[in-house]
Amino acid sequence: MGGEVETTDLPSDAGRVIDVAPTRGGLLLLSEEGRILLWEAGARTCRELARGSVTVPDGSEPWCGREQTRRLHASRDGAFAAVVIDYGRHGEVYDLSSGAVTLTLENDGHHSDTVPFSLAFTEHDGRNVLLHRRQWSLIEAVDPATGEVLAAMPVEEESADWSGYFQGALHLSPGGTRIASDAWCWHPAGRPVAWNLGPWLTEGEGAWRTGNGWAALPPCEYYWNRPMAWLDEDRIVIGGLGEDEEEIVPGARVFDVSRVETDQWGHRNPVEVATFGGPEGAFFSADGLLFSAGAGGLGIWDPVAGARTGSVPGFVPTHHDALAGHLLAFDPARGAIRRWPTSGSRR
């Protein structure tokens, strides 16, 4: 099922690496000192592209065990990178052609310690676009080269469908047509939400007058920061079965956000097209399959049949290099990357 797991030591000149981000030109590495390095395929060394100043504040208190950590993001073409503090307030964006800081990020800090820093790179009309949380409930799209605001969610309106959500980790659909946020709302309950990117980035706030494809998935008491992955442009899968954090068991729920049904209270909800037990850990997807990074290794699942079709014992991926068709397991303690090709998984 798939190929062999390949292990490669990180270049020694990188020093201690704390995160990685795949790009078309190679793997970006974030060093403990804040250097952003490019490690090209087959190279034994890496080269510095930028150096940042983002650090975790001294004395930061974790909320429910969620430690503040630095996270590296990158545009697909490798032109831009961002370093942010998950469960924190700050970050920086870098032009990797010059190493310059193009944008300093700061959200309003309102319960920011409950969620990873909301950020994702995408592309629209041939240009890179950065999506990030400006305030606790508002995502805006900016030009990563200049900081120019390209589109923003409308300011809070109590009656609006999108009001009242604390935006969390952002998950981009494979083709970049939709975005999902692992959000939560009072009192509190995790409730992932998704919306269309194309109309919003083209029309701005005007796209929200007709809903902009807004979809709110079922709430789960006290449970967010959950496994999540898009299978395609319409179907998204979220991890965990149950309606309360204390009742959650491993499993997956698949929703088609392009289809809605009205419940007994008159609410319009995305159609749940599959539910099955088993998957746990981080979720990834490729070629219509679901991959789950459980403690014992990788599970491979057919999300239509709800059946496990394979496994890779001992391989627990942390990142997905969709451009190269690999799942990556980053081991900072050993200073190594393990790769496994997703091609050939469907047999």
Side-chain angles (χ1 to χ4, degrees), residues 215-345:
L217 277 58
C220 184
E221 304 285 337
Y222 293 92
Y223 187 60
W224 59 93
N225 300 326
R226 66 197 303 170
M228 187 179 304
W230 288 92
L231 297 173
D232 50 37
E233 298 310 296
D234 296 327
R235 294 178 301 156
I236 188 169
V237 55
I238 61 175
L241 305 183
E243 298 181 354
D244 188 289
E245 181 185 35
E246 296 182 352
E247 302 172 354
I248 289 293
V249 297
R253 303 177 68 180
V254 184
F255 295 87
D256 185 337
V257 298
S258 70
R259 300 162 54 195
V260 296
E261 56 187 3
T262 304
D263 62 22
Q264 57 183 323
W265 297 282
H267 300 143
R268 290 167 55 82
N269 303 309
V271 175
E272 188 165 1
V273 295
T275 306
F276 53 97
E280 60 182 332
F283 283 1
F284 307 93
S285 178
D287 301 322
L289 295 176
L290 173 66
F291 301 94
S292 61
L298 182 70
I300 306 168
W301 305 82
D302 180 335
V304 176
R308 192 169 81 163
T309 61
S311 64
V312 185
F315 178 67
V316 184
T318 55
H319 298 72
H320 184 197
D321 186 348
L323 292 167
H326 289 106
L327 293 177
L328 309 178
F330 169 51
D331 185 345
R334 179 179 171 182
I337 288 284
R338 303 180 72 204
R339 293 181 173 87
W340 180 81
T342 58
S343 59
S345 300

Side-chain angles (χ1 to χ4, degrees):
M1 184 66 66
E4 297 295 323
V5 176
E6 174 188 297
T7 302
T8 308
D9 290 335
L10 297 174
S12 59
D13 56 338
R16 183 174 183 271
V17 175
I18 59 175
D19 199 12
V20 302
T23 73
R24 186 177 292 119
L27 195 63
L28 292 184
L29 314 176
L30 175 62
S31 77
E32 178 68 42
E33 299 84 6
R35 296 184 299 153
I36 299 175
L37 310 158
L38 175 62
W39 183 28
E40 296 172 293
R44 296 185 178 181
T45 60
C46 54
R47 56 191 175 94
E48 182 175 319
L49 301 181
R51 186 183 292 256
S53 61
V54 176
T55 58
V56 174
D58 292 334
S60 58
E61 293 289 335
W63 179 83
C64 291
R66 291 171 169 85
E67 297 279 353
Q68 293 191 17
T69 56
R70 283 177 288 175
R71 181 73 59 199
L72 177 65
H73 298 263
S75 61
R76 186 167 61 170
D77 62 3
F80 297 93
V83 176
V84 297
I85 301 176
D86 278 351
Y87 308 105
R89 295 184 58 178
H90 301 97
E92 291 177 340
V93 181
Y94 313 92
D95 181 338
L96 296 183
S97 66
S98 65
V101 176
T102 60
L103 189 60
T104 299
L105 304 173
E106 180 176 1
N107 62 62
D108 61 7
H110 187 42
H111 292 293
S112 60
D113 56 351
T114 65
V115 288
F117 198 106
S118 306
L119 188 141
F121 284 96
T122 187
E123 299 161 12
H124 181 68
D125 283 346
R127 69 191 296 186
N128 282 304
V129 175
L130 176 74
L131 309 174
H132 74 103
R133 182 180 65 231
R134 175 170 58 88
Q135 297 180 15
W136 62 277
S137 62
L138 300 178
I139 302 294
E140 69 178 11
V142 302
D143 183 336
T146 65
E148 175 193 359
V149 177
L150 305 175
M153 296 179 72
V155 175
E156 282 275 307
E157 297 178 15
E158 187 174 346
S159 61
D161 290 340
W162 56 86
S163 65
Y165 289 90
F166 292 81
Q167 303 292 348
L170 299 181
H171 299 265
L172 188 69
S173 66
T177 64
R178 286 190 168 100
I179 193 79
S181 171
D182 188 5
W184 65 274
C185 55
W186 286 111
H187 59 295
R191 190 162 199 191
V193 295
W195 64 93
N196 294 335
L197 283 179
W200 179 44
L201 295 177
T202 301
E203 304 170 27
E205 290 191 15
W208 294 85
R209 297 192 185 100
T210 55
N212 197 34
W214 178 265
L217 277 58
C220 184
E221 304 285 337
Y222 293 92
Y223 187 60
W224 59 93
N225 300 326
R226 66 197 303 170
M228 187 179 304
W230 288 92
L231 297 173
D232 50 37
E233 298 310 296
D234 296 327
R235 294 178 301 156
I236 188 169
V237 55
I238 61 175
L241 305 183
E243 298 181 354
D244 188 289
E245 181 185 35
E246 296 182 352
E247 302 172 354
I248 289 293
V249 297
R253 303 177 68 180
V254 184
F255 295 87
D256 185 337
V257 298
S258 70
R259 300 162 54 195
V260 296
E261 56 187 3
T262 304
D263 62 22
Q264 57 183 323
W265 297 282
H267 300 143
R268 290 167 55 82
N269 303 309
V271 175
E272 188 165 1
V273 295
T275 306
F276 53 97
E280 60 182 332
F283 283 1
F284 307 93
S285 178
D287 301 322
L289 295 176
L290 173 66
F291 301 94
S292 61
L298 182 70
I300 306 168
W301 305 82
D302 180 335
V304 176
R308 192 169 81 163
T309 61
S311 64
V312 185
F315 178 67
V316 184
T318 55
H319 298 72
H320 184 197
D321 186 348
L323 292 167
H326 289 106
L327 293 177
L328 309 178
F330 169 51
D331 185 345
R334 179 179 171 182
I337 288 284
R338 303 180 72 204
R339 293 181 173 87
W340 180 81
T342 58
S343 59
S345 300
R346 184 180 287 280
R347 292 180 180 173

